[in-house]
Amino acid sequence: MRKKTALIAAIGALIIFGTIAAALFSSGGDTKSVQRIAAPTSLYGETDISSAFDAIEATFASDFTGCTLKELRYNGEIERTYLDDELDRKQTGAEDRIIVLSTFTTNWRSTNEGFSPNETYEDWQWILTRPTQNAAWSVEGWGYC
């Protein structure tokens, strides 16, 4: 009976340790509760914007350890302000280019990514391109420009 109890205790301890280790050492960012705010424009419809959001979430999940994505935003004002700025700087070369803004928070693990811990980053820009209208979006850059 003691062996059975010891085995159950050991398995329980391993499960608890594994859960804690997974929480502490998981890689990538959290995108589970991101709020998507999108207003279709004359350039991009709902499907285009949603596909761009998907590409951003995939990149965030793999590259932003210790960060939680809170919001993705795209609308006509963002399009006019940021896309025009990109084109004014002669950053061309893709048929389609979209700029999306985001808000995310960081925790103590985000310092490895170059972020300050326990901060909120607002209006973080994502630049995506695609060669044709039916192609997938590719994240070309991010940050504050």
Side-chain angles (χ1 to χ4, degrees), residues 1-137:
M1 189 69 160
R2 285 186 177 191
K3 287 183 182 182
K4 187 176 183 180
T5 304
L7 181 61
I8 291 172
I11 291 172
L14 285 173
I15 290 171
I16 291 170
F17 177 74
T19 303
I20 292 170
L24 290 177
F25 302 111
S26 64
S27 63
D30 180 1
T31 60
K32 292 181 209 130
S33 60
V34 62
Q35 181 181 9
R36 292 177 164 204
I37 303 169
T41 66
S42 60
L43 282 179
Y44 301 115
E46 195 172 311
T47 301
D48 295 318
I49 299 166
S50 181
S51 296
F53 286 179
D54 291 344
I56 293 166
E57 286 184 33
T59 299
F60 193 92
S62 66
D63 294 347
F64 282 68
T65 300
C67 300
T68 300
L69 187 59
K70 298 293 187 180
E71 181 181 273
L72 291 171
R73 287 186 318 281
Y74 181 81
N75 61 39
E77 182 178 333
I78 294 167
E79 183 177 283
R80 283 187 302 280
T81 302
Y82 294 99
L83 188 57
D84 288 347
D85 287 348
E86 285 290 304
L87 297 176
D88 286 346
R89 289 193 297 249
K90 308 285 188 258
Q91 295 185 13
T92 60
E95 290 295 319
D96 281 344
R97 180 180 299 269
I98 189 170
I99 309 295
V100 175
L101 300 183
S102 67
T103 300
F104 64 93
T105 58
T106 60
N107 68 24
W108 61 272
R109 292 183 300 134
S110 65
T111 57
N112 292 338
E113 303 302 324
F115 298 115
S116 297
N118 304 313
E119 292 288 333
T120 298
Y121 289 78
E122 295 178 345
D123 294 333
W124 185 265
Q125 299 170 26
W126 296 86
I127 303 166
L128 298 92
T129 61
R130 62 183 180 185
T132 63
Q133 187 174 12
N134 294 325
W137 288 106

